[in-house]
Amino acid sequence: MSEVGSDRSISVVLADDNVIIREGVRAMLARERDLEIVGVAEDYDTLVAVADEAAPQVVVSDIRMPPAFQSEGIDACKEIRKRHPGTGVVILSQFDDPDYAIKLLSEGAAGYAYLLKDRIAEGDQLAQAIRAVASGGSSLDPSIVDAMLRPVTASTDGLSPDDEALLAMLAEGKPIKAIAAVRKTTAAAASNDVDRLFATLAEGASAGAAGAVRRLRVLHEAIVTREEQGESLSRLLPGGVAAKLLAEGRGVGETERLTVTVVMSDIRGYSTIAEHADPSRLAGQLNAHRSAMNRAIIDFHGTVMQYVGDAVMAVFGAPAPSAAHADDALEASMAMHEAQHAVNRGWEEEGLPVFDLGIGLSTGDVAAALLGSEERVEYSVVGDAVNLSQRLQQLAAPGQVVISEPTWELLSQRPTDAEHLAPELVKGRDTPVAPWRIGPL
């Protein structure tokens, strides 16, 4: 049941009741030198048992398997995560139904991925997802994101474009007054339009029109589940982004210009820690670290943008503009150091290596957008402030925060113990920077 390769480091258990698919995926992953298949399974009971025996870092599973062919794969992976916290999960499915993704991600997205089977042969999407969840990251097929953002899809089943627009607003949960404002009419007129729309759908449903029945069912499901979908989507996209996209209906590639403060943190000496650490324990530490950083950032109105290896990137002032983005970013940076100190104390008691952080802050104009391709979509900010924050964190010793001059100028209260550094060139820039350094904290 086990295939061991000395040059591989991420252990994987693979589950699918279809032996052709299972062996095809096994052969695909065998080409990746850093992945090791340590077990296979074909149903719920076997998957849980194999995972208990092999203790893999990642489980790759189908959704529907024996005995009932419902959601055994997801249920088994949930059980495995209870028994072995930190195990990464990749669900392979032929269904682009967001309900399955919602079930999978009901307790958070960290360490979970949901991919469609008919697209895993494109590039190295599956291998990338395995690597991502092994270190606490997540991945979701863009078609699932699209389904969550657009719970009611347009069609031409007997409704006019005007009725289609009205149906979409109802599914979004817009109240009558909001609908009236969009349609530039009175609330009474909007209410009449809604009554007429439901009468049309009800008449079609009574006559047995499949389109009308389907629309009533979809509308009901959209209204009932929209909040749940929004919550799950918000676990996959940075804080506030899901709500903003749902409210504005913005598409991939549409940008907006914002002035923000970017925070970039990095673990000092991480490569040395990783060299000597057990990979599964290290993945658990990374997950705990990211969770602590996430809470500190969100507490001060920040948006966690991405995790890149041992680095954490956050932005303040996006997706919603904020006049206090520089102050919030500095407060969050100090809270990040404090949170990591608290986590370190627990690790010291367990005999685990501690993480020491260096943090950089930079303020400037950025373009914010939902960017990506068919393989992956993510909310991003692009601009010099992003690059500079990464360079500034390199100037920070453990426990320090290094702040750009524009950020310093925007602070309402400037730390009295800050040190103004001499101007110097940093990699990738033609203009010298003269930042301020605070700490160690």
Side-chain angles (χ1 to χ4, degrees):
M1 183 176 293
S2 176
E3 303 173 357
V4 179
S6 60
D7 56 346
R8 299 177 177 180
S9 60
I10 300 178
S11 56
V12 180
V13 162
L14 176 61
D16 198 302
D17 65 294
N18 187 315
V19 65
I20 296 176
I21 294 177
R22 188 172 67 236
E23 293 307 311
V25 174
R26 183 207 288 257
M28 183 186 303
L29 296 180
R31 299 197 300 262
E32 306 295 331
R33 294 178 61 84
D34 62 329
L35 306 182
E36 175 189 355
I37 306 297
V38 296
V40 295
E42 65 280 347
D43 56 29
Y44 177 98
D45 291 336
T46 306
L47 176 53
V48 174
V50 170
D52 275 345
E53 177 184 352
Q57 291 172 258
V58 176
V59 173
V60 178
S61 177
D62 185 21
I63 290 180
R64 296 182 176 182
M65 297 189 297
F69 293 94
Q70 296 297 319
S71 59
E72 287 82 2
I74 292 177
D75 296 337
C77 289
K78 293 279 189 180
E79 177 63 26
I80 291 167
R81 291 266 287 206
K82 289 180 182 178
R83 302 185 185 192
H84 307 281
T87 303
V89 171
V90 177
I91 292 295
L92 297 181
S93 175
Q94 65 188 42
F95 307 104
D96 61 358
D97 188 336
D99 287 346
Y100 285 114
I102 289 169
K103 180 179 178 66
L104 177 69
L105 306 168
S106 60
E107 298 172 0
Y112 284 111
Y114 188 107
L115 304 179
L116 296 184
K117 287 181 178 179
D118 60 2
R119 303 230 297 229
I120 61 172
E122 302 173 5
D124 59 348
Q125 187 177 173
L126 176 56
Q128 289 179 356
I130 291 173
R131 296 180 187 113
V133 301
S135 59
S138 62
S139 179
L140 191 68
D141 192 281
S143 65
I144 298 297
V145 175
D146 185 68
M148 286 181 168
L149 289 172
R150 298 171 180 81
V152 175
T153 57
S155 127
T156 56
D157 295 337
L159 294 183
S160 68
D162 185 64
D163 285 340
E164 293 281 0
L166 179 58
L167 185 68
M169 284 189 282
L170 289 171
E172 291 170 4
K174 280 185 167 56
I176 292 297
K177 288 184 178 179
I179 293 174
V182 171
R183 294 166 71 87
K184 298 180 180 179
T185 186
T186 65
S191 180
N192 289 335
D193 289 341
V194 171
D195 289 342
R196 176 189 53 76
L197 174 62
F198 274 100
T200 300
L201 291 174
E203 182 179 352
S206 298
V213 174
R214 179 185 60 79
R215 284 183 170 281
L216 284 173
R217 179 179 62 81
V218 170
L219 179 60
H220 175 264
E221 291 177 353
I223 293 172
V224 169
T225 66
R226 184 174 182 272
E227 289 302 318
E228 183 179 13
Q229 289 175 338
E231 288 177 4
S232 294
L233 184 61
S234 69
R235 294 188 180 104
L236 296 165
L237 295 175
V241 176
K244 184 178 179 70
L245 293 174
L246 285 166
E248 298 179 359
R250 297 182 49 197
V252 174
E254 295 182 29
T255 64
E256 63 176 331
R257 191 181 183 91
L258 296 169
T259 301
V260 303
T261 297
V262 180
V263 172
M264 186 78 73
S265 74
D266 188 76
I267 300 170
R268 296 296 177 252
Y270 179 78
S271 297
T272 302
I273 293 173
E275 179 184 359
H276 302 286
D278 174 80
S280 60
R281 296 298 296 271
L282 183 58
Q285 285 189 268
L286 271 178
N287 197 41
H289 162 70
R290 291 174 176 179
S291 178
M293 299 302 99
N294 188 70
R295 288 192 298 270
I297 291 164
I298 291 175
D299 284 347
F300 290 94
H301 319 295
T303 299
V304 179
M305 298 301 297
Q306 57 181 298
Y307 305 109
V308 184
D310 58 314
V312 177
M313 175 185 166
V315 64
F316 293 76
S322 168
H325 55 82
D327 289 325
D328 288 340
L330 180 56
E331 292 285 351
S333 298
M334 294 179 175
M336 290 165 70
H337 276 303
E338 292 176 1
Q340 189 58 50
H341 290 332
V343 173
N344 285 345
R345 286 193 290 272
W347 288 346
E348 287 175 338
E349 294 177 359
E350 299 178 44
L352 296 174
V354 300
F355 291 173
D356 292 316
L357 308 181
I359 300 178
L361 276 65
S362 179
T363 298
D365 291 342
V366 297
L370 192 66
L371 302 176
S373 64
E374 291 184 355
E375 289 77 27
R376 183 176 178 84
V377 63
E378 62 182 19
Y379 184 73
S380 300
V381 292
V382 178
D384 179 61
V386 178
N387 300 327
L388 183 55
S389 66
Q390 198 275 335
R391 300 305 178 196
L392 293 180
Q393 66 82 13
Q394 295 175 344
L395 302 178
Q400 292 183 338
V401 178
V402 175
I403 307 171
S404 71
E405 291 175 286
T407 306
W408 179 265
E409 293 299 323
L410 286 177
L411 294 175
S412 60
Q413 290 186 332
R414 297 167 183 163
T416 58
D417 59 345
E419 175 189 4
H420 197 188
L421 303 180
E424 66 174 287
L425 284 173
V426 294
K427 184 178 180 180
R429 287 177 60 87
D430 296 327
T431 306
V433 297
W436 295 77
R437 185 164 58 197
I438 304 170
L441 302 174

